[in-house]
Structure formats: C-alpha cells, structure tokens
C-alpha cells in the first residue's frame, strides 16, 4: 500500500544534541512538508520541498534543517539551535500541478528533550 | 495571505446529538477547503474537501460541510455523533494558483460523551 512513513515514533534528545527525523513516501508525490504541532497552536510549517534538491523555509524554520536528495525522502534535523524542540512533528506529501487534492500525512514523531 | 479561524477550541457533545464545528477563512482569491481529523498520537487524515462544483460535500462517515462564499465559511456538521468521533478536527485552506501549501486552523477538539 502506498503511504508515508515517519520514524521513530518517539524520540528523546539531550540538550545540545542534533537529531534527525525520518520521512519516507512511496506515493510518487513531488511535494513534501514538515509541520510542528503544539497544543492549542495547530500546525506550523517548518520547511517544504516541491522538487528534488530544492526546499523553502516555512514559518518557523529557525533551528531546523532539511535535505531532499531523493524524491521519496525528506529528513528533518532538529539542531541544538532550536530552543524549544519538544513537540509532535508531522510530515506530509502531496501531488503538484493543477488542482490541489490535499496532503497525505505520516503518523508523526513525538520529540522530547530530556 | 490566507488565514483560517476555528472559533471553538473545544466542543463537548452527547452521543447521538448533532454537532457543528465552525471554520471561517480569509482570502482575496478563490480557495480550496479541507477538513482533516486527528486521533490521539496519530497523523491527520483527510475527512472531506471542497474544490469546485456543489457547495455541499460529504464524507463516508456521515460528516458534511458547506462552502459559503458570501460568509467565507466552511462549517463541518454531523446530525448524530458517535463516541468514535472524538478527535481533533482541523480546517485548512489553499490557493489553487499558489502552489500546494495548506494553511491550517488551530483545531477543534470534539469530545463525545455518553
């Protein structure tokens, strides 16, 4: 079945460490997105990519980095510069072109700083 | 720029009662509109969408939403809710000519009680 896979489901980070969240899709979607979810704040866009080897900052990109070396993969690195990284992170993908049929989401990674 | 307002952060309702979750958007152009549902510790799932045509759209599990251009609204309704409908619901909007980026509301927690 086609879908989008995020791993790990739970991740613990020590202060000052970088961590990388994985996102893989087999839907042949060109576009991929990373969102951060905090209680009462909805979803905030971190980074997005509409084509391989290209990506753009979203609304809250500071302290995060991404790469898009393959169409199927869009990993997110939470760097030590991100002061409050504890949150639920969601990856999504979508087709591009005329019409917008919405996103397909992964099941999320919950990151906790210990 | 587009924005989405979900007026209620929480909506408690008794089982088998009707419910309406409100969503208003602001945009200077025509829009696509979406409702997503999120169960605890999971990603978002597409519930229904309005792209064009009939202003009343329905989901397979009994929800419906009506696009009202004059009131810039896309309220979600269900005539009789079940315990299993307890979840968080997100309204989202995109610009058909502006790429595939979705702007999400802050979410409404629907809690169905016996």
């Amino acid at each position: 079945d086609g879908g989008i896979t995020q791993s790990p489901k739970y991740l613990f980070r020590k202060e000052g460490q970088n961590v990388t969240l994985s996102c893989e899709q087999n839907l042949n979607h060109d576009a991929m997105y990373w969102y951060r979810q905090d209680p009462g704040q909805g979803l905030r866009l971190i980074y997005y990519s509409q084509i391989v080897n290209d990506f753009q900052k979203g609304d809250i990109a500071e302290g995060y980095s991404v790469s898009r070396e393959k169409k199927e993969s869009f990993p997110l690195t939470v760097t030590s510069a991100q002061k409050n990284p504890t949150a639920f992170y969601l990856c999504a993908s979508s087709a591009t072109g005329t019409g917008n049929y919405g996103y397909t989401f992964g099941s999320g990674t919950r990151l906790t700083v210990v | 720029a587009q924005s989405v307002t979900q007026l209620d952060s929480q909506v408690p309702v008794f089982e088998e009662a009707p419910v309406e979750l409100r969503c208003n958007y602001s945009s200077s152009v025509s829009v696509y509109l979406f409702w997503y549902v999120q169960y605890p510790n999971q990603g978002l799932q597409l519930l229904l969408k309005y792209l064009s045509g009939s202003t009343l759209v329905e989901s397979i599990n009994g929800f419906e939403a009506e696009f009202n251009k004059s009131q810039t609204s896309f309220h979600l309704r269900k005539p009789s809710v079940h315990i299993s409908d307890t979840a968080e619901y997100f309204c989202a909007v995109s610009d058909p000519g502006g790429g595939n980026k979705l702007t999400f509301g802050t979410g409404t927690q629907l809690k169905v009680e016996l």
Side-chain angles (χ1 to χ4, degrees):
Chain A
D1 288 340
I4 184 165
T5 302
Q6 290 187 243
S7 62
K9 190 170 179 66
Y10 299 96
L11 186 57
F12 297 90
R13 190 194 94 168
K14 293 182 179 179
E15 294 279 355
Q17 276 185 338
N18 293 353
V19 290
T20 298
L21 284 59
S22 171
C23 179
E24 304 275 336
Q25 54 100 359
N26 61 3
L27 299 165
N28 200 34
H29 285 167
D30 285 313
M32 298 186 74
Y33 313 82
W34 275 106
Y35 285 88
R36 170 179 172 142
Q37 186 177 20
D38 296 280
Q41 297 193 46
L43 279 70
R44 293 183 290 168
L45 182 63
I46 304 173
Y47 270 98
Y48 66 102
S49 166
Q50 296 191 309
I51 195 169
V52 175
N53 292 322
D54 189 42
F55 47 83
Q56 286 77 40
K57 293 182 179 180
D59 302 318
I60 56 165
E62 185 175 351
Y64 300 96
S65 66
V66 293
S67 63
R68 187 85 187 279
E69 297 176 359
K70 298 187 300 181
K71 187 175 185 177
E72 301 78 19
S73 179
F74 192 41
L76 174 74
T77 296
V78 184
T79 74
S80 57
Q82 171 51 238
K83 298 306 179 189
N84 185 22
T86 294
F88 190 52
Y89 290 87
L90 286 163
C91 180
S93 68
S94 74
T96 57
T98 57
N100 184 334
Y101 303 99
Y103 293 177
T104 300
F105 281 86
S107 56
T109 293
R110 187 166 297 281
L111 174 63
T112 304
V113 174
V114 296
Chain B
Q2 298 165 327
S3 66
V4 177
T5 302
Q6 292 185 244
L7 297 167
D8 305 299
S9 60
Q10 294 186 3
V11 174
V13 63
F14 287 109
E15 192 174 36
E16 297 183 3
V19 70
E20 178 180 82
L21 307 183
R22 296 180 292 172
C23 172
N24 288 87
Y25 67 92
S26 67
S27 175
S28 59
V29 298
S30 60
V31 294
Y32 293 151
L33 293 157
F34 305 83
W35 275 100
Y36 285 85
V37 59
Q38 183 182 34
Y39 299 101
N41 293 312
Q42 294 186 26
L44 278 68
Q45 301 171 33
L46 181 65
L47 190 59
L48 47 77
K49 63 188 179 224
Y50 169 78
L51 304 179
S52 65
S54 173
T55 57
L56 184 66
V57 290
E58 298 176 349
S59 72
I60 58 172
N61 57 354
F63 283 95
E64 64 179 30
E66 186 161 19
F67 170 55
N68 188 320
K69 187 174 182 179
S70 63
Q71 297 187 6
T72 60
S73 68
F74 191 56
H75 301 331
L76 182 69
R77 302 184 183 95
K78 189 171 185 179
S80 176
V81 295
H82 299 124
I83 288 287
S84 60
D85 293 324
T86 295
E88 188 151 23
Y89 292 80
F90 291 92
C91 183
V93 62
S94 73
D95 171 5
N100 292 333
K101 283 197 303 172
L102 291 180
T103 300
F104 288 87
T106 52
T108 297
Q109 180 66 46
L110 174 63
K111 184 174 182 182
V112 181
E113 303 168 352
L114 292 172

